[in-house]
Amino acid sequence: MIYIADYVVTQNATRDCIYNGAVAVEGNRIADVGFADEVISRRCDDKRLNLGQAVIMPGLINGHTHVAMSALRGYSDDKTLMDWLQKDIFPAEARLTFEIIKISSLFSCTELIRTGCTSFYDMYMMADAVAEAADESGLRAVLGESVSMYFPGLAGKDEETLFERVREYSAKWKDKSRINGAVCPHSVYTTDARLLERCRELADETGFLFSMHMSETKGETQNCLKENGARPLDYCRSLGILSSDTTLYHMVDVNDDDLGIVKECGCAIVHNPASNMKLASGVAPISRMLDFEIPVAIGTDGPASNNSQNMVREMYLASLLQKVDKLDPLQAPAHSILDMATAGGSAALHNKNIGSLEKGKLADFIALDLTSPNMQPVHSIISNIVYSATGLENRLTVVDGQILYKDGEFLTLDYAGLSKQIHAIRDWVYK
Ligand SMILES: [Zn+2]
């Protein structure tokens, strides 16, 4: 199939944007990218889908979320992080079930697909339930099992049961090309040193990736200094748990020494602007992270702290937050933000085959409609994507060569049915 549109934003090494471009797909890979007339002449027998006044671009990569939390969207807002977590979210989550986690995750997948996301990195309890949802939706995902020291937990009555569950599903996921796993200690403040070391061992044993919330607030740093005599990153480095398979979420309260540790250990960072603003955690110094040549991705965080899963909205916020924080409009320019949501996401998910439209890469892409009033005229297609789009311009989501959404229709998920189910779960939350 050849997909044709007025613009193709490749995000390749030279960041080529092609006017009257086309992307050809064979199986789950991109077979050709270029000017439409040239691609068609090289592949004259292929079927064609001409999207007209639209931009084809790599699918956005959501570097950090908790998709099952769509069940709790709007349940608790306008609280401090600790009050929000400990008084409202943790008690509600303690009553979740495998089925509720799966349905809530499926519902979130509709939002991700609708707003142009093709891959996400999730952290939650019962990652096997989230994985079933991701698998059914057709999205690409890294599913991380959230581990904390509070037992009994949803995914296991004690640590051994939980770890055994991860071992069991890791063996089952080996053949699933779109699904990868991760071991995710929740944070330094919900674990202890021994549990963090055991999580690292479990990741190494299963071949899973490793990620955690890190340095989200000043309070987290102060507590870690008091209890462990070191800042969170220094503490984690001393335990030997950080490596090139590691992704760190938030990274708001960090200094140059912390970033030096991240660079030395080869970790990637995910910036979560909406969550950091809404919970008033602070502003992550993403320009400084890029100075250190650390890969930086963008994530929405969960739908209970954002409260959306819309990566287009997140790109807009990421840019504007840096500008106002530094009182400098040159900060976080549009193209560097789009890089974070594509190439940065590829680094955060530790998958080199996504994030750009190039021959041989996985066929994960979207197409934004350019006919709506907010998307015209086009002086800079990148500016329109980052500063003007809302996410709802997306009219095509393709993952692994498969169309998941096209012009209002979900092709892998029953949106009407899932809407009914999420309303029923909303009522269950209050029972
Ligand atoms: Zn989070």
Side-chain angles (χ1 to χ4, degrees), residues 332-400:
H335 218 141
S336 108
I337 291 292
L338 184 61
D339 285 354
M340 288 179 208
T342 53
S346 155
L349 271 65
H350 305 273
N351 185 342
K352 290 189 170 69
N353 290 310
I354 56 175
S356 64
L357 302 182
E358 295 175 86
K359 187 176 176 181
K361 291 265 181 121
L362 290 163
D364 291 9
F365 57 91
I366 60 173
L368 306 187
D369 174 42
L370 296 176
T371 63
S372 59
N374 58 316
M375 297 298 278
Q376 302 184 71
V378 179
H379 291 293
S380 155
I381 189 65
I382 306 299
S383 289
N384 283 25
I385 292 167
V386 174
Y387 297 134
S388 306
T390 65
L392 296 180
E393 296 78 7
N394 183 41
R395 49 178 292 208
L396 177 77
T397 304
V398 176
V399 178
D400 226 30

Side-chain angles (χ1 to χ4, degrees), residues 64-66 123 213 249-250 301-302:
H64 173 55
T65 183
H66 314 274
M123 170 201 263
H213 295 113
Y249 310 130
H250 297 298
D301 212 351

Side-chain angles (χ1 to χ4, degrees), residues 122 150 315:
D122 196 78
Y150 308 120
M315 287 196 293

Side-chain angles (χ1 to χ4, degrees), residues 227-366:
E227 287 180 17
N228 306 299
R231 294 171 63 82
L233 280 152
D234 200 9
Y235 166 61
C236 289
R237 175 178 57 178
S238 73
L239 297 174
I241 61 171
L242 305 177
S243 100
S244 59
D245 69 353
T246 302
T247 302
L248 304 169
Y249 310 130
H250 297 298
M251 295 285 290
V252 170
D253 185 40
V254 289
N255 58 29
D256 279 2
D257 289 343
D258 295 326
L259 295 180
I261 293 170
V262 175
K263 175 69 182 169
E264 172 197 317
C265 297
C267 313
I269 291 173
V270 181
H271 173 45
N272 303 275
S275 174
N276 296 161
M277 282 192 266
K278 186 156 172 284
L279 290 162
S281 302
V283 183
I286 60 174
S287 303
R288 196 70 187 134
M289 294 166 185
L290 296 176
D291 290 344
F292 275 77
E293 297 182 332
I294 297 167
V296 180
I298 295 174
T300 58
D301 212 351
S305 70
N306 182 305
N307 297 359
S308 107
Q309 302 279 278
N310 180 337
M311 278 294 293
V312 175
R313 184 169 102 155
E314 212 66 25
M315 287 196 293
Y316 179 69
L317 292 175
S319 176
L320 269 56
L321 176 60
Q322 293 298 315
K323 293 177 195 303
V324 73
D325 180 54
K326 300 283 190 311
L327 298 178
D328 176 7
L330 307 188
Q331 292 288 319
H335 218 141
S336 108
I337 291 292
L338 184 61
D339 285 354
M340 288 179 208
T342 53
S346 155
L349 271 65
H350 305 273
N351 185 342
K352 290 189 170 69
N353 290 310
I354 56 175
S356 64
L357 302 182
E358 295 175 86
K359 187 176 176 181
K361 291 265 181 121
L362 290 163
D364 291 9
F365 57 91
I366 60 173

